[in-house]
Amino acid sequence: MAELATIARPYAEALFASLGSADSAWLDAIAFVAAHEEMQQYAANPKTKAEEVAATLAAVAKVNLDAKAQNFVATLIENKRLLALPEIAQQFRALKNASSGVSDAHIVSAFALEGQALGDT
């Protein structure tokens, strides 16, 4: 099987072209749920319809999917690419950050941090 990054790239680019700078918090939430083995098994069941898997993903992630998001998730499920969803979300975030000149950061500190987080006012 091809590397997940290679599989994920066209999906991430298509999603970015479709959503642009629109709110995409749902993507990280469903990608987290989709990464679990139980969800993978549920989606792989031939008796389970793509719409049911998409609805279950949204329910477990506690997000509302608009029509574009529902179609995107259904396409991934029908093409048996749900396993690539976490990588798709990561590549989508990279595309979104690059277009807006933003970077993700992970801060590690030996001491508790106090005060406001960056970006808070």
Side-chain angles (χ1 to χ4, degrees):
M1 184 159 113
E3 188 177 329
L4 279 180
T6 304
I7 292 170
R9 187 172 299 111
Y11 289 102
E13 290 172 350
L15 185 61
F16 181 72
S18 174
L19 294 181
S21 63
D23 182 31
S24 59
W26 59 269
L27 183 59
D28 287 326
I30 64 167
F32 179 78
V33 174
H36 286 83
E37 185 177 338
E38 294 86 357
M39 184 55 72
Q40 293 290 327
Q41 290 173 352
Y42 177 68
N45 185 338
K47 294 181 182 179
T48 307
K49 297 179 183 177
E51 297 82 19
E52 294 171 337
V53 177
T56 302
L57 273 171
V60 172
K62 297 180 182 175
V63 295
N64 291 322
L65 300 177
D66 63 9
K68 284 183 181 181
Q70 288 176 0
N71 288 337
F72 178 74
V73 173
T75 300
L76 290 177
I77 295 164
E78 290 168 3
N79 293 331
K80 300 186 184 341
R81 299 294 193 220
L82 194 60
L83 183 62
L85 190 51
E87 180 66 26
I88 293 168
Q90 182 179 350
Q91 289 190 24
F92 174 83
R93 193 170 37 263
L95 290 169
K96 190 172 180 179
N97 287 348
S99 75
S100 62
V102 174
S103 295
D104 288 336
H106 179 76
I107 300 172
V108 178
S109 174
F111 303 100
L113 300 175
E114 297 180 21
Q116 294 181 330
L118 294 177
D120 291 349
T121 56

